[in-house]
Amino acid sequence: MENNYLIDIAHKNRRGEEIGIFSLDALHPMVVQAYLLSALEDGFPAVIEVNAQAFSDNRTTPNAFVNNVNQIACTINFPVKQLIFSIYDLNLVLQNNQKNATLFISELVKTGFGIFGLNVSMANIGELVRAIENSACGNGGMNEPLYV
């Protein structure tokens, strides 16, 4: 889903509306399904967040994670176009492995991650933003990434 939905929420709040969107930070399929059912009932997109550590621990890959969430969404008729994927603590995980950072970021972008949580106190922030922007430019269908 396009990140414009989240930008629209920010603009509406600046104009005095009090709206928001819930997000989920969980890997367990039953929790993901319950969250998607709630979002479906409320008529909102779903923001699925994941800590980058989940990928560095080899518990899953970005592609496998997105595929699993998409499968869960399809089983309950949640529109996959309304899924928004977010990753946080990205640079904390990649700080000691800059060599693989560009490949990992490229995989995140290709699989649909559009929101990137970066710790701005880290020295490698510029390199990571550059890698994200370069990957996004090379992935024709992605809108501009958001940073939190």
Side-chain angles (χ1 to χ4, degrees), residues 1-5 7 113-114 136 139-146:
M1 171 166 215
E2 292 189 15
N3 293 333
N4 293 339
Y5 185 83
I7 294 170
F113 282 82
N139 190 34
M142 182 183 173
N143 55 329
E144 294 181 16
L146 295 179

Side-chain angles (χ1 to χ4, degrees), residues 9 28 30 35 39 54-55 67 86-87 89 96 98 115 137 143:
I9 288 175
H28 195 281
M30 288 179 64
Y35 169 67
F55 300 125
N67 285 340
S86 172
I87 186 165
D89 287 346
N96 296 323
Q98 201 63 36
I115 303 172
C137 287
N143 55 329

Side-chain angles (χ1 to χ4, degrees), residues 29-89:
M30 288 179 64
V31 177
V32 172
Q33 183 178 11
Y35 169 67
L36 293 179
L37 285 168
S38 177
L40 187 62
E41 183 177 309
D42 293 341
F44 287 105
V47 179
I48 309 288
E49 297 185 76
V50 64
N51 188 311
Q53 191 69 40
F55 300 125
S56 69
D57 291 345
N58 294 320
R59 288 185 274 171
T60 189
T61 65
N63 190 45
F65 177 74
V66 169
N67 285 340
N68 287 338
V69 172
N70 286 343
Q71 286 178 339
I72 294 167
C74 287
T75 63
I76 61 167
N77 295 319
F78 187 91
V80 293
K81 292 206 177 266
Q82 290 190 14
L83 294 172
I84 302 170
F85 291 97
S86 172
I87 186 165
Y88 63 95
D89 287 346

Side-chain angles (χ1 to χ4, degrees), residues 83-102:
L83 294 172
I84 302 170
F85 291 97
S86 172
I87 186 165
Y88 63 95
D89 287 346
L90 183 59
N91 51 333
L92 299 178
V93 171
L94 296 175
Q95 67 185 348
N96 296 323
N97 196 358
Q98 201 63 36
K99 178 180 169 185
N100 293 325
T102 303

